Every structure is written in C-alpha cells, then in structure tokens.
Amino acid sequence: MKKNRPVNLDISTINLPAPALVSILHRISGVVLFAVVALLLCMLDSSLESEQGFQKVAEFFTSVPAKLVLWASLAALIYHLVAGVRHLIMDMGIGESLEGGRRGAIIVLVLSVVLILLAGVLIW
C-alpha cells in the first residue's frame, strides 16, 4: 500500500458522480424523515386531543414557516420514495451497469425535482 497517497478530506471539492449524489441524498432524506415523523406525530396527537388542539394545528399550517416545513417534509418523502424505487428496480437486476446506474440516478433527480415542485404548487 502506498504511504504517500494524496488525501482529500474536503468533500466540497470532490466532483461526485450522479449515482453517488443520489445515494448520499437518499440517506439524508431518510434522516430528515425520521426527524419529521416525530414532529408530525406530535401535531397529530395535539389535533386529536381536542377541538381547540385541532384549531391550533390548522392555524399553524396557514403560516409561511409551517408551509415551508411541510414542503420540506414532502420533498424528503418524495425524494426518498423515488430513490427507494430505483433501489428496488436495481435489486431486480435492471440498471446495474455503470451507464444504467448513471441514467437511473439522473432519472431520480429529474423526477424528484418535478414532483417536489408539483407538491410546492399544491401546498401554496
């Protein structure tokens, strides 16, 4: 093993290929979903507790920050779903080649952006 290999620990300077970017974003979206589920369950509990709790939650979702949080949550869910379907398709043996992986990653990115923008239009 070479002892004088170059070491680059600054990930912002690395030009990641599309499949690597899709994989990293898939993991990040999973962490975001894990955190958001706790928040949404708390809001569900509050809304089911009483009529006043429901009104508070309904009023909360009319504010701009709440809509941004909801949109970010939906964005994470949409991206995680689309990337997860890509993984399932690859588990069936489709798109396992280098070129297939690149195409699949680009399809995931484009489809996710379109669906996230559509979700934003529906929320706003």
Side-chain angles (χ1 to χ4, degrees):
M1 181 166 30
K2 289 184 176 182
K3 298 285 184 184
N4 58 356
R5 295 184 327 169
V7 177
N8 184 1
L9 299 177
D10 185 9
I11 197 164
S12 65
T13 63
I14 299 173
N15 188 13
L16 294 173
L21 182 64
V22 166
S23 178
I24 291 169
L25 290 175
H26 187 245
R27 292 167 193 252
I28 291 171
S29 68
V31 171
V32 169
L33 285 175
F34 183 76
V36 166
V37 164
L39 175 68
L40 292 177
L41 284 175
C42 181
M43 293 176 79
L44 177 65
D45 180 52
S46 177
S47 71
L48 294 176
E49 203 171 87
S50 66
E51 191 173 329
Q52 292 80 15
F54 179 81
Q55 292 299 329
K56 285 182 184 178
V57 171
E59 288 174 18
F60 175 73
F61 277 116
T62 61
S63 68
V64 173
K67 287 183 179 183
L68 285 174
V69 169
L70 182 61
W71 191 30
S73 304
L74 284 174
L77 180 64
I78 289 167
Y79 183 82
H80 201 75
L81 176 70
V82 173
V85 169
R86 173 182 175 252
H87 281 289
L88 290 174
I89 291 171
M90 289 179 74
D91 285 344
M92 293 187 297
I94 302 169
E96 288 183 328
S97 67
L98 185 61
E99 184 59 32
R102 286 183 190 142
R103 284 184 184 162
I106 291 171
I107 289 170
V108 165
L109 291 171
V110 169
L111 186 60
S112 295
V113 167
V114 168
L115 291 174
I116 290 168
L117 290 175
L118 181 64
V121 168
L122 292 175
I123 289 173
W124 298 94

